[in-house]
Amino acid sequence: MSNYFPNIDKIKYEGTGSKNKLAFRHYNPSEVVNGKTMKEHMRFAMAYWHTLTQDGSDPFGAAVNERTWLAADKMETAKNRVEANFELLTKLDIDYFCFHDLDIAPEGDSLQEFYSNLDEIVELIEGKMKSTGTKLLWNTANMFTNKRYVNGAASSPNADVFAYSAAQVKKGLDIGKKLGAENYVFWGGREGYETLLNTDMALEQDNIARLFKMAVAYAKEIGHKVQFLIEPKPKEPSKHQYDFDAATTMAFLYKYGLQNDFKLNLEANHATLAGHTFEHELRVARSYNALGSIDANQGDLLLGWDTDEFPTDLYSCVLTMYEILENGGLAPGGINFDSKVRRSSFGMDDLFLAHIAGMDTMARAFKIAVKLKEDKFFDNLVKERYKSYTTGIGADIVAGKADLKSLTEYALKNDKVVNESSHIEYIKSVLNDYL
Ligand code: XUL
Ligand code: CO
């Protein structure tokens, strides 16, 4: 076992009375709720990129993060990161992790060199997964950082770029199969456009669908039983991203007949950028039976970009967890912390403190959501609000027994409509009592 965190032992649950910063106060992995342990419910995952490769630089400032695994040689750093990854997972009691190909190995000077760097690191990861019992929630290909992707990946006007993307996806699926990944994610950061003036939108979207179909076919061919996920985001780095939000992505999947092969990996901060609450995105996905997994984080409503903060907003997390509960959980998906420490939280120990904060918040939110469900808090509100559809003319409408003529006849006799107040403020106030 490596020791990048010599002063930190395995994090334990100590309860709300604990003053120990390095302890869970709400997340008790072995606590049984609704017949399953909290660990089984939560399926937490750590994001390799934010945790192990992020350096704390921003467009105005240099790297600040203390990261003792950095070495002069890129492959040496990559190997050290593998050690640190599994030390973090084990000490944080997190079973899953997620990565982009580029997070785990340097690209080198050719695609062939990238492949062999990946093979070397994947071998190490496989060994560590076996010895620690950790699992890969999902992997993906980074098809947005390298300059070749300046005009997109599958949506690039340059067919050579499409081919290169395909080669990355193929390798990603081979790696996923070797490591037993439960999902494969597509996040199309550069699959969008800068201006319509020179864009063939139809061809670009057809090509994205072509790559998705090739991926589904290849996974089948190699016997990799994986759930494919698309992660919507409206913009950044693209000015307009095609997978704008859950609804737009579902329309895309249906248009190309891919709705049975893909579900959605939804991210809180992406919802904010699309002008939605996170629970809206989850509800839309649920209505299509397409809620697959989540990237847990939060944005800042005063900033217009993807800040990827660790989730600590209890209110929003409760509504998120309620949707997940209604979905019957997320498996084979999970809760991936696509979250990064703030620039001023540059210490090595902050990686622990931030994950503990996120895990405690999500666990606490889950237990509150369970209580809301037990009390039928939302169920009763909705039942009462739509009761006019359970009898009389409403029941006829729902049963398909009404038409414009019968409804006109009814309306002529009942034209003094009486509505009921929703008492929204009261509802919100009672909801607060649960927090
Ligand atoms: C970017 C983002 C990505 C995806 C994986 O906003 O969320 O990290 O989660 O490519
Ligand atoms: Co994400």
Side-chain angles (χ1 to χ4, degrees):
M1 174 53 72
S2 70
N3 224 344
Y4 286 104
F5 305 93
N7 303 323
I8 300 180
D9 293 328
K10 185 165 176 159
I11 306 301
K12 298 204 182 67
Y13 170 72
E14 292 185 5
T16 48
S18 176
K19 292 276 176 280
N20 178 5
K21 275 194 220 164
L22 291 162
F24 296 120
R25 287 181 297 115
H26 298 275
Y27 177 54
N28 181 0
S30 60
E31 180 182 354
V32 176
V33 179
N34 276 354
K36 270 198 224 162
T37 63
M38 284 298 283
K39 195 177 220 189
E40 287 168 316
H41 281 298
M42 307 309 286
R43 296 173 62 82
F44 285 131
M46 198 174 82
Y48 214 94
W49 52 105
H50 287 313
T51 306
L52 294 146
T53 72
Q54 193 232 348
D55 63 11
S57 58
D58 70 15
F60 301 93
V64 287
N65 287 348
E66 296 163 1
R67 299 294 181 254
T68 51
W69 49 75
L70 296 175
D73 177 69
K74 284 185 179 169
M75 274 305 272
E76 197 61 37
T77 300
K79 289 176 194 167
N80 293 344
R81 283 182 176 137
V82 173
E83 297 288 331
N85 177 56
F86 289 95
E87 186 180 348
L88 276 156
L89 289 176
T90 312
K91 289 187 169 174
L92 277 163
D93 209 353
I94 295 179
D95 282 347
Y96 290 91
F97 64 110
C98 304
F99 61 77
H100 302 81
D101 47 5
L102 218 67
D103 304 332
I104 60 165
E107 281 183 296
D109 292 328
S110 65
L111 182 57
Q112 199 55 58
E113 194 180 332
F114 188 29
Y115 277 2
S116 56
N117 288 346
L118 282 167
D119 288 342
E120 201 177 332
I121 299 295
V122 165
E123 207 58 43
L124 291 180
I125 290 181
E126 192 184 21
K128 283 281 179 186
M129 285 173 71
K130 282 197 181 125
S131 64
T132 56
T134 50
K135 291 167 273 185
L136 185 57
L137 186 68
W138 52 260
N139 65 314
T140 183
N142 177 327
M143 306 195 298
F144 43 89
T145 300
N146 191 288
K147 67 179 181 188
R148 87 176 62 82
Y149 295 120
V150 62
N151 290 313
S155 67
S156 170
N158 183 346
D160 286 355
V161 176
F162 186 105
Y164 201 106
S165 322
Q168 266 188 270
V169 171
K170 177 181 175 295
K171 186 70 177 168
L173 291 168
D174 289 334
I175 291 172
K177 175 163 191 221
K178 188 169 164 60
L179 299 179
E182 298 185 26
N183 304 269
Y184 185 88
V185 165
F186 283 96
W187 170 62
R190 304 238 178 234
E191 310 292 32
Y193 63 83
E194 175 72 30
T195 168
L196 279 179
L197 297 178
N198 61 2
T199 298
D200 185 342
M201 190 193 269
L203 177 68
E204 292 198 0
Q205 297 212 20
D206 288 353
N207 280 348
I208 296 170
R210 286 185 178 108
L211 184 67
F212 289 169
K213 285 186 180 170
M214 290 176 198
V216 171
Y218 185 68
K220 232 172 241 157
E221 190 184 322
I222 61 171
H224 182 27
K225 288 186 187 56
V226 73
Q227 173 66 58
F228 281 100
L229 300 169
I230 296 183
E231 184 176 323
K233 187 176 182 182
K235 56 189 167 189
E236 195 201 358
S238 296
K239 182 176 131 180
H240 176 93
Q241 192 176 313
Y242 291 132
D243 307 333
F244 195 93
D245 60 4
T248 314
T249 306
M250 289 316 299
F252 173 92
L253 290 174
Y254 272 83
K255 175 174 177 192
Y256 292 100
L258 286 162
Q259 70 275 14
N260 297 323
D261 297 310
F262 281 81
K263 287 192 172 185
L264 304 182
N265 179 41
L266 296 169
E267 177 164 329
N269 206 159
H270 296 181
T272 316
L273 295 182
H276 303 308
T277 60
F278 194 27
E279 58 272 21
H280 164 96
E281 287 294 85
L282 297 169
R283 184 74 64 93
V284 170
R286 269 204 314 114
S287 74
Y288 287 98
N289 190 25
L291 174 53
S293 201
I294 68 162
D295 271 8
N297 61 18
Q298 70 187 30
D300 185 323
L301 290 177
L302 301 183
L303 301 174
W305 63 91
D306 198 9
T307 57
D308 286 339
E309 300 173 24
F310 274 85
T312 51
D313 177 352
L314 188 58
Y315 194 94
S316 141
C317 289
V318 166
L319 299 178
T320 299
M321 280 303 176
Y322 189 79
E323 295 299 326
I324 292 175
L325 201 58
E326 288 282 70
N327 196 55
L330 290 171
I335 298 179
N336 170 47
F337 288 108
D338 193 349
S339 312
K340 62 181 177 221
V341 288
R342 299 301 83 203
R343 190 164 186 260
S344 52
S345 299
F346 47 75
M348 289 279 274
D349 59 344
D350 284 300
L351 294 174
F352 278 86
L353 299 176
H355 279 93
I356 293 170
M359 291 160 82
D360 265 344
T361 307
M362 300 308 277
R364 193 174 171 185
F366 179 74
K367 286 194 264 179
I368 295 171
V370 168
K371 183 89 180 80
L372 285 162
K373 183 90 191 124
E374 272 169 15
D375 290 358
K376 295 190 178 349
F377 180 80
F378 297 116
D379 288 338
N380 287 339
L381 287 172
V382 171
K383 200 171 161 197
E384 172 64 18
R385 189 154 186 250
Y386 295 90
K387 63 179 183 296
S388 72
Y389 283 95
T390 57
T391 56
I393 194 71
D396 286 350
I397 293 172
V398 171
K401 288 187 197 153
D403 60 20
L404 290 187
K405 282 189 286 179
S406 67
L407 289 169
T408 301
E409 206 177 296
Y410 178 88
L412 283 168
K413 286 187 218 138
N414 297 276
D415 64 346
K416 302 289 174 282
V417 170
V418 182
N419 276 318
E420 286 176 26
S421 166
S422 291
H423 307 307
I424 291 288
E425 295 76 6
Y426 175 70
I427 294 170
K428 289 185 175 176
S429 165
V430 180
L431 178 57
N432 279 347
D433 294 346
Y434 283 84
L435 307 182

